[in-house]
Amino acid sequence: KTVLFRMMIFSLLFGSGVSWFVTMQSMNKASLPVLIATGFGSMAISFFGTVTAVLAHFLELEDFDEVDQVSKIWTVIFVIFMFVISAPHILVSEFVDEPMFGVGGWMSTYLMVASFSAFSIACALRTRPGRDRASRSLGNLNAALSWILAIVVLYGGFGVAGLDRNLDVTAVAGIPLSILGTFIVAPILLTLEGEVSNERRRTVQRVSAKSKPPVRTMGFTIDGLSPSNRLAPLVIGTSFIFILATLYVILLRGLLEESIVKNHMDIFGKLFQHETANNDELAKLAEMTYSHSKALDVSARLAGSGFWTSENILGPLLHLGGLVAAFPSLLLIITTLWKDQPVPSAQVTLFTPLTIVPIFVCTGIPSLRTLGVMGLAGGAALLFQKQVRNQSQVRL
């Protein structure tokens, strides 16, 4: 009982305390009701997340069913409070204009705290002394959930090209924050774990062979994942997100969104939607200034890349062809990383030059150009690795 009480106090002070601090710093300009609702929701999931992480790391495998129960409670709390913090924006018209995503957004803050909580559970399970199929399944589920929530926060706040709801472009060294952030959060997938060897599995079963049957938990296992190909999920996940972002811009952007920015007139209409006759000249001067801005450039490039926003069908077809050109090289890279076996150099030599098309021709979608860079860099690495291997064989 004393240990349980200490764990509760630690979860309340550390988990809930950190989440409250993050909420205060992120939403310092939000209205009080929204701040309180989001703060208590974040504190609740942090509290149960900390409890789950502590139990997941220290409990024996024979008692792992308790970890599974607490983890299910955390999942239910996460879903419930997602609706709770959304209630003020649905029921009260005064809070409709509160930002949902982006810097200071109530949903972004809540999902960010949930992502940290899920990641802490995954790390606790990944580093525990003894692991079995149940612990690995639950750890993989939390790792995948943490990564997905982080991706939602990134693209919900900064879009596919770093252009947020205020028409501000956020980029680091010319790279949109959503693109750079995808690479930053990719190491979360390193906490994914595959099945151990048969010998080690038998050892674990002998140690934990008790009267209780094997515990079945939520989650999934990855049978083919091993230390030799642990980088493959990072490349697969990152490529998958960039492909989805590219397909969204080409096929869906502008189809269901009435407020989508399609051209420079939309930008100026949003910037000067309260324009009156007294500030016509000022608006014209501002339009001349903004005509060369990054926001105009990004929105114009995106508009010319989608079927529903482009005035000419050639642009979307060109970007769709660029995606097709980048795919074979990415597939070769993923196959090499996953199987840990070299692919024929003739295929690499054939498909790698095709990545030049999305890099230098398809300039409207940043995620597509990034796929091209990944394919080109990966193909060059495969050719270099093949050359080094051939030289080593010649020396032998």
Side-chain angles (χ1 to χ4, degrees), residues 99-370:
M100 183 176 181
F101 286 98
V103 180
W106 52 273
M107 184 59 76
S108 291
T109 304
Y110 180 75
L111 295 181
M112 180 173 59
V113 174
S115 177
F116 283 131
S117 298
F119 181 65
S120 65
I121 298 173
C123 291
L125 289 166
R126 187 70 170 81
T127 58
R128 61 173 287 128
R131 298 187 294 275
D132 60 358
R133 190 177 183 87
S135 64
R136 283 188 289 271
S137 298
L138 187 59
N140 290 341
L141 175 63
N142 282 277
L145 178 61
S146 175
W147 177 73
I148 292 174
L149 293 179
I151 291 296
V152 172
V153 171
L154 273 173
Y155 285 85
F158 302 101
V160 295
L163 187 66
D164 61 14
R165 63 190 298 269
N166 296 322
L167 301 178
D168 294 326
V169 178
T170 306
V172 179
I175 304 175
L177 188 59
S178 55
I179 302 297
L180 183 62
T182 305
F183 289 105
I184 293 176
V185 302
I188 295 176
L189 298 178
L190 288 175
T191 55
L192 293 174
E193 188 177 10
E195 282 299 303
V196 294
S197 62
N198 292 332
E199 181 179 356
R200 186 177 175 186
R201 188 181 297 116
R202 286 194 298 266
T203 304
V204 173
Q205 289 176 351
R206 286 196 300 267
V207 172
S208 59
K210 302 293 182 180
S211 58
K212 289 186 177 181
V215 179
R216 294 186 178 181
T217 62
M218 302 183 299
F220 59 92
T221 57
I222 308 176
D223 295 334
L225 186 61
S226 63
S228 61
N229 62 357
R230 63 183 306 177
L231 294 180
L234 278 71
V235 180
I236 295 174
T238 303
S239 301
F240 179 71
I241 293 301
F242 288 153
I243 291 174
L244 282 184
T246 302
L247 290 176
Y248 160 75
V249 174
I250 298 174
L251 302 177
L252 298 178
R253 186 175 184 268
L255 175 61
L256 301 176
E257 302 152 296
E258 298 180 356
S259 61
I260 197 72
V261 177
K262 299 181 179 179
N263 49 48
H264 74 283
M265 295 303 296
D266 287 346
I267 290 182
F268 300 133
K270 289 179 178 296
L271 289 174
F272 305 104
Q273 55 184 343
H274 301 296
E275 177 182 338
T276 61
N278 296 329
N279 57 9
D280 285 344
E281 295 298 327
L282 181 60
K284 292 180 181 179
L285 292 175
E287 180 173 345
M288 295 176 60
T289 303
Y290 277 102
S291 62
H292 301 287
S293 67
K294 189 66 176 178
L296 175 60
D297 181 62
V298 170
S299 62
R301 289 175 182 271
L302 288 176
S305 307
F307 284 107
W308 300 97
T309 55
S310 177
E311 298 179 355
N312 190 346
I313 197 174
L314 180 61
L317 289 177
L318 184 64
H319 286 78
L320 192 61
L323 179 61
V324 174
F327 187 78
S329 180
L330 292 171
L331 186 60
L332 290 178
I333 298 170
I334 293 173
T335 302
T336 303
L337 289 175
W338 183 256
K339 295 183 178 180
D340 196 23
Q341 296 177 355
V343 295
S345 57
Q347 297 182 9
V348 181
T349 306
L350 176 63
F351 294 125
T352 299
L354 296 179
T355 58
I356 297 177
V357 176
I359 295 176
F360 296 104
V361 179
C362 307
T363 59
I365 308 176
S367 57
L368 179 55
R369 300 187 70 183
T370 307

Side-chain angles (χ1 to χ4, degrees), residues 23 26-27 30-31 34-35 37-39 42 81-90 95-113:
T23 304
S26 176
M27 302 179 59
S31 58
V34 175
L35 180 63
T38 307
S42 301
F81 273 96
M82 183 179 293
F83 288 101
V84 170
I85 66 174
S86 304
H89 310 275
I90 299 175
F95 304 128
V96 172
D97 295 331
E98 291 280 348
M100 183 176 181
F101 286 98
V103 180
W106 52 273
M107 184 59 76
S108 291
T109 304
Y110 180 75
L111 295 181
M112 180 173 59
V113 174

